[in-house]
Amino acid sequence: MKIDLNSDMGEGFGRWRIADDDGLMDTVSSANIACGFHAGDYAIMDRTVQLAKEKGVGIGAHPGLPDLMGFGRRNMAVSDADMESMMCYQIGALQGIAARHGHRVTHVSYHAAFGNMANADEALALRLTRAIATLDRNLSVFCMPGQATERAAEKAGLRAQTLFLADRAYTTAGTLVPRGQPGAVIHDLAGVRARVKQFLQDGSVTTIDGARLPVRAQSILVHSDTPGSLELARAIRAEIEASGGMLTPACQL
């Protein structure tokens, strides 16, 4: 079984760093690179792309809202036209840097509130995926299964690659428990590894209230800003390999 392990990277700014991107790049198979709006800057983007190229890690754009102070996790009053423009701006910036290093952007993964806004509005979700298709019809879109972004990607003729979020709690409806609620973010090493093992064995996750929820996914995500993210990523990779899985960049699945 081939499966991707991905993480959000380049989410610092200037001299500040959020996570151990060097260690994560040795562990994951795909990186979602912040493009300067919610985090990241041109120098961090350049270094992250170069590192991914050296390590054979697939890369994708990780567009977010223009909210450095809130790390892109706060809702903002932004028009659909602005959402489309800012997304294309961010993807284009990463494509340019990737080309300089002989690497290629192969997917798009919305960040936080940006993704939540798309999933809350079918028309916006479709507008965004159609815009992605004008940039490169070979780009895939990372998304949770059954949400508006998955449906929109398919309507736009793009490949939707579904995610299992190893470090986030699920509701019985298949959505994520909102950040800030108890148990929403899981950073217990044994707990995360058990969740991944369950997902790999029978394609399910245990929800926050104890129900067993089917999860249809091709890639496992661990957030780099989750406490202990590098150790979590290493544990997830170990569980994948112990189960006989082969870690494979999303673009090769």
Side-chain angles (χ1 to χ4, degrees), residues 99-138:
R100 193 172 85 85
H101 290 288
H103 210 6
R104 187 170 70 88
V105 177
T106 57
H107 69 268
V108 177
S109 178
Y110 302 152
H111 174 73
F114 191 101
N116 293 340
M117 291 172 69
N119 280 315
D121 185 336
E122 296 275 352
L124 173 60
L126 184 56
R127 178 172 184 158
L128 294 175
T129 53
R130 283 175 171 166
I132 292 170
T134 66
L135 299 176
D136 183 351
R137 298 200 66 85
N138 292 315

Side-chain angles (χ1 to χ4, degrees), residues 153-212:
E154 292 169 350
K155 288 179 181 178
L158 299 175
R159 185 182 179 196
Q161 294 192 284
T162 48
L163 301 172
F164 168 57
L165 278 64
D167 55 356
R168 291 295 311 279
Y170 283 71
T171 70
T172 53
T175 59
L176 299 178
V177 175
R179 286 180 180 269
Q181 291 190 14
V185 179
I186 302 164
H187 42 78
D188 172 66
L189 198 63
V192 167
R193 186 157 183 170
R195 285 161 57 85
V196 171
K197 183 176 182 178
Q198 178 181 331
F199 165 72
L200 293 171
Q201 287 181 341
D202 64 13
S204 74
V205 64
T206 300
T207 66
I208 197 163
D209 56 1
R212 209 169 186 87

Side-chain angles (χ1 to χ4, degrees), residues 2-18:
K2 294 182 179 180
I3 192 161
D4 176 50
L5 173 59
N6 75 90
S7 188
D8 308 329
M9 293 194 199
E11 290 189 315
F13 190 78
R15 61 185 292 180
W16 288 274
R17 298 289 183 267
I18 291 292

